[in-house]
Amino acid sequence: MIPARKVALFGGSFDPIHCGHLEIARQAVEALDLDEVRFIPCRVSPHKLDHPPAPADVRLEMLKVALANLPWATIDDSELHQPPPSYSCKTAARIHHQEPDSRLFWLVGTDQWESLPRWREPEKLCELLEFIVFSRGAPPEPRDGWRMHPIHGDQPASSSAIRDGARIGKIPTEWLPQGVEELIIKHQLYQS
């Protein structure tokens, strides 16, 4: 019997994608022997309705550049073509329907893990997949009935700090994958 493919879904604004995102994904691949990490840029996050992201086509371009040399990384741009906001439960249900034999995971940070019960239809997510929870500090608290795999790291990169730096002309380049800074400058992103 062929073992199920292990696929982690990694949703987010990726505004911009940074080395922290890549490190979290790499650690998940190693810790759980994943076949694939699927980056899913959202059109508009329901948790960030007051902060419109950079244009979707530019965020997608940054993802393509950042992931170009990672054989386990793919992009699913389906949420970019849906009416906003983007809901993880709809995406997970669609992927589960398309790939019923895959073992699905959702990759989140501890802040998202703690807020998951307030997401749209969290019980559906709980049925469809397992969670990989990345923490920088204390390990995440288990939750009855939820399948969770903790991973730990200390990657300090932050999309909001990168955007703030770009506003004042001081992009923290050490936090950006090769080629992403050039796209931020080319498209004049995050300037006041």
Side-chain angles (χ1 to χ4, degrees), residues 3-11 25 28-40 71-76 91-92 94-108 125 128-132 147 149:
R5 287 189 79 242
K6 293 197 275 188
V7 179
L9 310 178
F10 193 1
V29 166
E30 291 177 3
L32 285 105
D33 195 27
L34 301 174
D35 295 295
E36 176 185 350
V37 175
R38 194 169 304 168
F39 289 74
I40 307 171
W72 44 261
T74 61
I75 301 170
D76 177 334
T91 300
R94 176 185 54 79
I95 293 170
H96 177 74
H97 179 74
Q98 292 170 341
E99 303 174 39
D101 296 329
S102 290
R103 183 176 169 193
L104 299 178
F105 300 82
W106 198 279
L107 185 51
V108 296
L125 276 173
L128 297 175
L129 44 79
E130 301 168 48
F131 294 90
I132 303 169
R147 296 164 291 168
H149 309 272

Side-chain angles (χ1 to χ4, degrees), residues 8 12 17 27 30 34 53 57 81 103 111 139 142-143 153 163 176:
I17 185 163
Q27 285 191 33
E30 291 177 3
L34 301 174
D57 60 329
H81 307 289
R103 183 176 169 193
D111 56 336
R143 194 173 278 134
R163 293 191 300 268
L176 293 170

Side-chain angles (χ1 to χ4, degrees), residues 166-181:
R167 281 188 195 92
I168 60 171
K170 294 184 179 179
I171 300 171
T173 56
E174 68 277 9
W175 288 352
L176 293 170
Q178 187 173 356
V180 173
E181 179 187 13

Side-chain angles (χ1 to χ4, degrees), residues 82-143:
Q82 302 295 322
S86 302
Y87 291 110
S88 303
C89 60
K90 289 183 179 180
T91 300
R94 176 185 54 79
I95 293 170
H96 177 74
H97 179 74
Q98 292 170 341
E99 303 174 39
D101 296 329
S102 290
R103 183 176 169 193
L104 299 178
F105 300 82
W106 198 279
L107 185 51
V108 296
T110 48
D111 56 336
Q112 294 169 315
W113 172 249
E114 290 167 7
S115 70
L116 261 169
R118 296 185 301 276
W119 286 20
R120 166 128 343 155
E121 300 184 63
E123 65 287 342
K124 182 184 280 188
L125 276 173
C126 191
E127 285 173 24
L128 297 175
L129 44 79
E130 301 168 48
F131 294 90
I132 303 169
V133 184
F134 178 82
S135 71
R136 290 183 175 127
E141 291 292 325
R143 194 173 278 134

Side-chain angles (χ1 to χ4, degrees), residues 155-167:
Q155 192 6 287
S158 153
S159 293
S160 59
I162 293 167
R163 293 191 300 268
D164 291 345
R167 281 188 195 92

Side-chain angles (χ1 to χ4, degrees), residues 43-60:
R43 185 162 171 194
V44 176
S45 168
H47 309 291
K48 298 179 183 176
L49 295 173
D50 59 340
H51 170 73
D57 60 329
V58 178
R59 289 185 291 127
L60 188 58

